[in-house]
Amino acid sequence: MSSRPFRVLFVCLGNICRSPAAEVVCCAHLDREGEQRVQVDSCGTAAYHIGQRPDARMLAALQRAGFVYGGHRARQFRREDFARFDLIIPQDEENRADLLALASTAEQKARIVPMSRWFAAGETRREVPDPYYGDASDFDDVVSLLDAAMPGLLRDINARLQRGEA
Ligand code: 4NP
């Protein structure tokens, strides 16, 4: 088995709502499972919010759901991230298209897998909806959608580690 960690990067537009939430929720699931072989980060495709903390409405939603925010400052995706991460996970179709446009090899493109791949059975949506112009219930919805997707993502990561993909 590989000794280096498996590295996961969640990506949204601003890196202040969905992808930092995905990072927090994923880390909580990894902790719960005692899974220490995985490193998690998040970033945005846009530069609007570089250096900022997550949106206060997202931090409140995470807190309501019992998740602990560990500290994150927004940063923008950069091409070097293709080499640094094993799995690059856009939250919506626009994020996915933006990442695919930056990828220059088939191997880089293969690392981009939409978050919806792991949505829970019965979920009919195909994206994590952007809550930025929504209300508190939209932020709660993002957290619960991500929470429900994480067991599937962790199973997939475990399978990839078993195959020695890291
Ligand atoms: P995120 O949400 O991509 O989930 O971080 C947004 C954050 C900022 C903006 C849009 C969406 N914005 O337009 O500034």
Side-chain angles (χ1 to χ4, degrees):
M1 189 182 295
S2 164
S3 57
R4 85 161 178 81
F6 188 90
R7 291 178 292 210
V8 178
L9 181 64
F10 293 105
V11 185
C12 62
L13 177 65
N15 192 211
I16 56 168
C17 299
R18 292 165 292 176
S19 62
E23 183 182 342
V24 166
V25 174
C26 186
C27 286
H29 280 256
L30 291 168
D31 282 353
R32 211 177 291 160
E33 296 296 319
E35 176 55 82
Q36 297 180 334
R37 299 170 295 175
V38 183
Q39 284 178 1
V40 183
D41 191 13
S42 68
C43 68
T45 56
Y48 314 137
H49 299 282
I50 289 172
Q52 293 180 14
R53 286 161 53 87
D55 190 299
R57 298 167 296 171
M58 184 49 88
L59 292 177
L62 287 166
Q63 197 171 32
R64 280 194 291 279
F67 293 103
V68 179
Y69 159 66
H72 177 80
R73 296 285 169 164
R75 74 168 179 90
Q76 189 173 22
F77 182 84
R78 39 185 181 263
R79 279 201 168 87
E80 300 91 271
D81 288 320
F82 284 120
R84 292 179 54 222
F85 292 91
D86 301 292
L87 202 46
I88 297 172
I89 306 179
Q91 302 297 293
D92 69 20
E93 282 304 311
E94 183 185 312
N95 310 148
R96 181 162 175 253
D98 289 342
L99 290 170
L100 284 169
L102 290 168
S104 45
T105 66
E107 207 258 333
Q108 290 178 347
K109 289 189 175 117
R111 291 177 181 218
I112 302 167
V113 181
M115 190 74 223
S116 60
R117 171 74 57 90
W118 303 284
F119 281 179
E123 175 57 61
T124 54
R125 293 174 290 180
R126 304 293 0 121
E127 303 184 305
V128 181
D130 182 352
Y132 192 67
Y133 295 104
D135 61 20
S137 71
D138 297 299
F139 284 83
D140 288 337
D141 175 48
V142 167
V143 173
S144 67
L145 190 57
L146 292 169
D147 193 24
M150 285 307 158
L153 173 57
L154 263 61
R155 275 196 299 277
D156 193 339
I157 291 171
N158 193 49
R160 289 166 188 260
L161 279 161
Q162 299 286 329
R163 294 198 297 267
E165 280 186 29

